[in-house]
């Protein structure tokens, strides 16, 4: 009997990073689960399942796992590529309402937590030969202060905290956790990010022999690059 194809679940399957990651993994023989508001189940194929999802509801995160497991099996790799933000004047970050902060945290922190929790439950059922990797798309805001982006500062700090904790806690089991943060060559934030570069890096991280630096600051075409404000 032929071996089952590995599975990647991409939560937040947009046209840039989501598409780049899907392409990279599909090219290596992965079955792909794409979850986003915009995808349509009518466009499913034998190797791709599309799951309509609203990530302001953590139950939609759980549902995405359920759909993928039913179609392809337990995800070997999970990518949390979801982010929302409410902005404020740079000189008045507390103009952000508590309601808006809670709404953003539901996606940026609680959604990431539930996704990682579901991923780990699945990893425990997979053989040690499986990739067993969880990667969240981050940015510089877990280490940099931009006052008008207070909501993102909180959200990315929370998400990176989840990743840092998991990377240490589950290292002995061979599970891998990464927070990916694309930069310019000089370490400055990169706002127009490269979807294909994310796809290449994510595949390499997933298939590394062991956990690398969880804070994956990287440069397109160069890979992981440690900067002064990279965390361990």
């Amino acid at each position: 009997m032929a071996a089952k194809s590995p599975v990647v679940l991409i939560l937040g399957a947009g046209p840039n990073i989501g598409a780049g990651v899907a392409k990279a993994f599909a090219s290596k023989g992965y079955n792909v689960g794409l979850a986003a508001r915009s995808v349509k189940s009518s466009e499913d194929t034998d190797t791709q399942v599309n799951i309509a999802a609203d990530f302001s509801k953590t139950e939609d995160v759980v549902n995405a796992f359920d759909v993928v497991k039913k179609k392809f099996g337990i995800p070997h790799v999970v990518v949390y590529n979801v982010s929302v933000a409410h902005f404020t004047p740079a000189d008045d970050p507390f103009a952000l309402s508590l309601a808006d902060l809670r709404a953003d945290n539901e996606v940026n922190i609680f959604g990431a937590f539930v996704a990682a929790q579901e991923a780990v439950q699945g990893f425990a059922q997979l053989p040690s030969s499986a990739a067993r990797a969880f990667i969240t798309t981050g940015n510089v805001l877990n280490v940099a202060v931009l006052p008008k982006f207070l909501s993102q500062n909180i959200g990315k700090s929370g998400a990176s905290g989840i990743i840092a904790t998991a990377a240490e806690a589950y290292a002995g089991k061979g599970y891998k956790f990464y927070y990916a943060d694309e930069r310019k060559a000089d370490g400055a934030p990169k706002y127009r990010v490269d979807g294909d570069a994310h796809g290449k890096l994510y595949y390499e991280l997933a298939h590394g022999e062991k956990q690398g630096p969880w804070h994956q600051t990287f440069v397109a075409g160069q890979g992981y690059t440690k900067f002064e404000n990279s965390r361990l």
Side-chain angles (χ1 to χ4, degrees):
M1 182 181 293
K4 249 179 129 176
S5 295
V7 182
V8 60
L9 172 57
I10 303 167
L11 302 160
N16 188 17
I17 295 175
V21 173
K23 181 170 67 174
F25 279 85
S27 72
K28 300 295 186 179
Y30 270 73
N31 287 327
V32 179
L34 300 177
R37 287 186 177 185
S38 58
V39 299
K40 300 176 182 178
S41 59
S42 61
E43 297 176 358
D44 287 359
T45 69
D46 289 343
T47 59
Q48 179 176 306
V49 61
N50 300 299
I51 308 150
D54 175 358
F55 294 110
S56 67
K57 304 172 184 176
T58 53
E59 57 265 33
D60 277 19
V61 175
V62 176
N63 179 65
F65 278 85
D66 290 342
V67 172
V68 166
K69 284 187 281 188
K70 185 175 180 180
K71 174 84 171 179
F72 296 131
I74 296 168
H76 295 57
V77 179
V78 177
V79 174
Y80 195 75
N81 181 50
V82 188
S83 184
V84 297
H86 285 86
F87 306 115
T88 68
D91 62 352
D92 189 13
F94 292 122
L96 178 69
S97 73
L98 182 58
D100 285 345
L101 178 59
R102 281 176 171 156
D104 290 352
N105 286 346
E106 190 72 24
V107 175
N108 298 329
I109 300 176
F110 303 143
F113 174 84
V114 170
Q117 190 175 54
E118 290 287 318
V120 164
Q121 289 173 7
F123 295 167
Q125 300 175 60
L126 292 172
S128 60
S129 58
R132 299 181 301 173
F134 182 91
I135 304 169
T136 188
T137 302
N139 58 35
V140 74
L141 288 170
N142 68 318
V143 292
V145 175
L146 297 174
K148 68 183 294 184
F149 294 93
L150 175 61
S151 169
Q152 277 274 295
N153 279 128
I154 293 169
K156 294 304 183 184
S157 295
S160 69
I162 291 168
I163 294 298
T165 300
E168 181 171 335
Y170 294 103
K173 294 185 177 181
Y175 308 166
K176 299 179 286 286
F177 293 84
Y178 293 102
Y179 176 97
D181 170 8
E182 186 180 1
R183 304 283 186 88
K184 296 179 181 178
D186 63 357
K190 186 173 182 182
Y191 298 108
R192 292 189 178 183
V193 296
D194 186 325
D196 288 339
H198 280 77
K200 181 177 185 296
L201 177 75
Y202 287 15
Y203 184 83
E204 291 171 353
L205 292 176
H207 289 270
E209 290 187 9
K210 60 183 180 179
Q211 175 75 47
W214 66 262
H215 187 189
Q216 281 285 312
T217 45
F218 75 100
V219 176
Q222 184 173 311
Y224 173 70
T225 306
K226 184 173 175 59
F227 296 107
E228 285 188 7
N229 60 357
S230 298
R231 295 179 64 184
L232 295 178

